[in-house]
């Protein structure tokens, strides 16, 4: 599950477990007339099997791409620092283009072969916590010289090996863990496992994805708190106060020809609009020299010209391919960490399947469809590992919410979105443009997004009886240990002797 800034409906619990208050058996259930709960086909502009006009498919596909853009761009930008790439925006742009390309492939696989619902695939925050934990180990901590922009030569073989060996380690762990997800999905184990995974399990799992990232978000925002605060203010303004204001937009129809229609722009694109406005302000402040030009001065990284040459250096066309960073390496610690992220991702995706079916007026997905969907997501994670995105793939809940807003449930629209993702991944200048976003703008965006992800996790407790001392103990102990144990390990790495060494890796 990714940023829930858009008004996406939260999936209901999938089964009746200990402490669950109001849940539907086996999904969303049915009304008295036998119709599935959710939107009926009469309330949809296009139902799941309808094919809108080609130009409308393209427009709505681009909209889905823009809706997912925040999450897609955020993943490589979060990983950049721990991959020693904070001073190499060109490589960051390659990672962004790669995640666009792989997300397009995974989306098409999911629509045609997986759960066969109009659901978009992309990078997952569930993999970030174990990935960052692995990269924070002493073996993978970035050398001091990579933290100094004046000492980094991004074209040197030494620097290239520094970041590539880290992403190869992530690739190997993700590819092995994806095999576990494919096994769980294609064997039908997911239906059995869901009996033991309820809201009380999901709540701390999702919350702990974002909670440990407060340090990274705070450091980025602290580059210039004024810019970061303005970004936060704009996101809050658009998503909370202007979301119900409709903006007239020109449209073309067969009957009315050219006319205007109301579109809830601020509700659909709050993060993207805030990011672009803050980005533009940083550009204006850079041009007018209102921001300091000395590299050591406070606020220097808020300038847009610190990464300006990346646009000229990036190729117009770049085709991502498997193994572009070298042969993946494997370590046991990394694999087990990513498997924890895989479990969290599977639980979230099953909830997204039910929410998506409800919003497009389809019956609740049967078990065999869920099995296929999870299996294809595992295949998507395998492809993401092979291509080297540094991340896996999951269903995007913000795009599920966009289905309810647009009232268009056609699968062909998501097919168009997948094709748009493929094209954006091939155009190198697109990824380069997003890699030039100033650091404090990213920090402000992260503060909001990580906070919302934490809240989404805790919101699962609405289905749990929190008057039960047993449930209070489980949730409290899970959260506290999830923060305390990793913190102790980071501070006392010499206390753990697993026998694993760089020379023992495959």
């Amino acid at each position: 599950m990714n940023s829930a800034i858009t008004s996406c409906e939260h999936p209901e619990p999938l089964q009746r477990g200990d402490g669950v208050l109001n849940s539907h058996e086996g999904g969303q259930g049915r009304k008295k007339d036998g119709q599935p709960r959710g939107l009926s086909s009469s309330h949809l502009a296009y139902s799941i099997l309808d094919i809108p006009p080609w130009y409308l498919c393209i427009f709505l596909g681009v909209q889905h791409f823009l809706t997912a853009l925040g999450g897609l761009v955020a993943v490589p930008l979060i990983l950049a620092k721990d991959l020693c790439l904070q001073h190499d925006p060109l490589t960051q742009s390659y990672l962004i283009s790669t995640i666009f390309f792989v997300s397009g492939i995974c989306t098409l696989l999911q629509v045609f072969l997986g759960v066969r619902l109009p659901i978009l695939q992309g990078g997952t925050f569930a993999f970030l916590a174990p990935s960052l934990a692995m990269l924070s180990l002493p073996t993978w901590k970035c050398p001091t010289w990579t933290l100094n922009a004046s000492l980094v030569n991004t074209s040197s073989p030494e620097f290239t090996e520094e970041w590539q060996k880290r992403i190869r380690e992530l690739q190997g762990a993700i590819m092995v863990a994806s095999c576990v997800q494919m096994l769980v999905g294609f064997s039908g184990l997911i239906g059995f496992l869901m009996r033991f995974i309820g809201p009380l399990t999901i709540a701390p799992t999702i919350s702990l994805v974002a909670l440990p990232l407060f340090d990274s978000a705070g450091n980025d925002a602290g580059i210039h708190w004024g810019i970061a605060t303005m970004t936060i203010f704009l996101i809050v303004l658009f998503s909370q106060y202007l979301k119900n204001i409709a903006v007239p937009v020109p449209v073309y129809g067969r009957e009315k020809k050219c006319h205007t229609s109301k579109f809830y722009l601020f509700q659909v694109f709050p993060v993207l609009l805030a990011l672009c406005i803050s980005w533009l302000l940083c550009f204006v402040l850079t041009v007018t020299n209102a921001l300091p030009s000395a590299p050591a001065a406070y606020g220097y990284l808020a300038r847009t010209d610190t990464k300006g040459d990346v646009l000229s250096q990036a190729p117009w066309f770049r085709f991502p391919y498997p193994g572009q960073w070298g042969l993946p390496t494997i370590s046991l610690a990394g694999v087990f960490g990513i498997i924890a992220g895989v479990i969290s991702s599977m639980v979230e995706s099953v909830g997204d399947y039910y929410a998506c079916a409800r919003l497009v007026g389809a019956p609740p997905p049967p078990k065999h469809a869920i099995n296929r969907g999870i299996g294809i997501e595992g295949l998507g994670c395998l492809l993401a590992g092979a291509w080297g995105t540094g991340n896996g793939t999951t269903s995007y809940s913000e795009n599920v919410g966009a289905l309810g807003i647009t009232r268009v449930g056609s699968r062909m629209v998501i097919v168009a979105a997948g094709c748009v993702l493929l094209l954006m991944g091939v155009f190198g200048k697109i990824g380069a443009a997003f890699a030039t976003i100033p650091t404090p703008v990213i920090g402000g965006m992260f503060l909001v997004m990580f906070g919302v992800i934490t809240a989404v996790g805790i919101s699962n407790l609405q289905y749990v009886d929190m008057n039960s001392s047993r449930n209070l103990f489980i949730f409290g102990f899970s959260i506290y240990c999830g923060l305390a144990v990793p913190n102790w390990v980071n501070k006392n790495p010499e206390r753990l002797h697993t026998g694993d060494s760089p020379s023992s890796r495959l």
Side-chain angles (χ1 to χ4, degrees):
M1 189 171 296
N2 295 280
S3 64
I5 299 294
T6 53
S7 61
C8 100
E9 238 178 300
H10 192 67
E12 299 179 19
L14 307 179
Q15 67 288 316
R16 190 180 302 278
D18 291 334
V20 179
L21 292 179
N22 297 316
S23 61
H24 296 297
E25 298 284 356
Q28 307 309 316
R30 291 179 176 270
K31 298 179 181 178
K32 292 182 179 179
D33 58 3
Q35 293 298 316
R37 295 179 183 272
L39 295 176
S40 64
S41 58
S42 61
H43 291 105
L44 292 168
Y46 295 95
S47 65
I48 188 169
L49 296 178
D50 290 340
I51 301 178
W54 64 269
Y55 53 86
L56 189 59
C57 280
I58 293 174
F59 174 78
L60 291 171
V62 170
Q63 177 177 275
H64 274 284
F65 165 73
L66 295 174
T67 303
L69 190 59
L72 289 170
V73 173
V75 170
L77 294 179
I78 294 170
L79 288 172
K81 184 177 180 180
D82 289 87
L83 290 172
C84 313
L85 291 173
Q86 65 267 45
H87 299 303
D88 187 3
L90 183 61
T91 302
Q92 291 179 32
S93 75
Y94 292 162
L95 288 176
I96 292 171
S97 296
T98 302
I99 202 169
F100 284 169
F101 188 81
V102 175
S103 297
I105 295 175
C106 296
T107 297
L108 296 177
L109 287 173
Q110 190 67 268
V111 172
F112 288 120
L113 302 176
V115 73
R116 295 178 184 171
L117 286 169
I119 193 163
L120 190 133
Q121 305 290 292
T124 170
F125 287 111
F127 283 20
L128 282 179
S131 297
L132 295 176
M134 185 181 78
L135 293 173
S136 67
L137 295 174
T139 308
W140 299 112
K141 279 193 175 179
C142 295
T144 307
W145 61 270
T146 63
L147 307 178
N148 190 332
S150 61
L151 298 178
V152 173
N153 179 8
T154 56
S155 59
S156 68
E158 183 184 9
F159 176 75
T160 301
E161 178 59 23
E162 279 296 332
W163 69 263
Q164 284 192 356
K165 68 182 181 182
R166 286 164 175 77
I167 199 168
R168 288 198 298 264
E169 185 77 2
L170 280 180
Q171 284 183 259
I174 291 167
M175 292 176 74
V176 174
S178 68
C179 295
V180 175
Q181 186 170 2
M182 284 193 289
L183 176 65
V184 170
F186 291 133
S187 67
L189 275 175
I190 184 66
F192 174 77
L193 292 176
M194 289 306 297
R195 296 169 54 194
F196 305 100
I197 302 173
L200 195 57
T201 310
I202 298 170
T205 303
I206 298 177
S207 299
L208 285 170
V209 168
L211 280 175
L213 300 176
F214 71 91
D215 186 52
S216 175
N219 288 338
D220 288 345
I223 296 295
H224 194 296
W225 278 109
I227 299 295
T229 302
M230 192 193 72
T231 305
I232 295 169
F233 169 77
L234 290 173
I235 294 175
V236 172
L237 177 68
F238 295 152
S239 65
Q240 305 301 320
Y241 295 99
L242 301 182
K243 62 181 180 180
N244 294 322
I245 296 178
V247 178
V249 294
V251 295
Y252 179 83
R254 290 183 179 179
E255 297 179 0
K256 293 185 178 180
K257 301 299 180 183
C258 291
H259 63 285
T260 58
S261 179
K262 291 184 177 180
F263 178 65
Y264 291 91
L265 181 70
F266 302 112
Q267 187 178 39
V268 179
F269 304 131
V271 175
L272 186 65
L273 287 173
L275 186 147
C276 291
I277 293 172
S278 296
W279 196 357
L280 179 62
L281 177 66
C282 288
F283 174 75
V284 173
L285 294 177
T286 300
V287 172
T288 57
N289 282 323
L291 292 171
S293 56
Y298 175 78
Y300 170 73
L301 290 179
R303 296 179 65 95
T304 55
D305 57 1
T306 59
K307 305 176 182 178
D309 58 345
V310 68
L311 273 173
S312 59
Q313 293 176 2
W316 277 103
F317 298 98
R318 180 182 178 274
F319 195 84
Y321 58 92
Q324 57 187 332
W325 317 128
L327 189 66
T329 58
I330 300 172
S331 66
L332 196 60
V335 170
F336 278 108
I338 299 297
I339 286 176
V342 163
I343 294 171
S344 173
S345 176
M346 287 192 294
V347 174
E348 297 165 21
S349 292
V350 173
D352 286 336
Y353 296 162
Y354 281 103
C356 181
R358 182 171 71 244
L359 288 173
V360 301
K367 281 188 177 180
H368 59 82
I370 293 175
N371 292 336
R372 285 198 315 268
I374 296 299
I376 290 296
E377 282 196 18
L379 177 61
C381 288
L382 182 66
L383 296 177
W387 257 266
T389 65
N391 199 252
T393 184
T394 192
S395 300
Y396 264 28
S397 51
E398 53 260 54
N399 289 83
V400 174
L403 295 172
I405 295 169
T406 61
R407 295 294 191 265
V408 175
S410 172
R411 288 190 302 185
M412 289 307 298
V413 170
I414 300 299
V415 170
C419 294
V420 170
L421 282 165
L422 286 173
L423 287 174
M424 294 299 104
V426 172
F427 285 104
K429 297 289 186 185
I430 301 294
F434 290 109
T436 62
I437 300 172
T439 303
V441 177
I442 297 170
M445 180 183 70
F446 285 171
L447 284 174
V448 176
M449 291 178 65
F450 294 159
V452 171
I453 293 168
T454 303
V456 167
I458 295 174
S459 71
N460 282 272
L461 296 179
Q462 66 184 298
Y463 306 112
V464 176
D465 180 11
M466 293 309 289
N467 290 319
S468 165
S469 59
R470 171 183 176 274
N471 293 340
L472 286 172
F473 169 80
I474 293 172
F475 179 73
F477 183 73
S478 300
I479 288 286
Y480 207 75
C481 275
L483 294 172
V485 174
N487 182 62
W488 181 86
V489 172
N490 288 333
K491 290 183 176 179
N492 302 275
E494 72 284 350
R495 301 276 184 171
L496 298 177
H497 301 283
T498 63
D500 183 40
S501 63
S503 59
S504 67
R505 292 186 177 90
L506 298 178

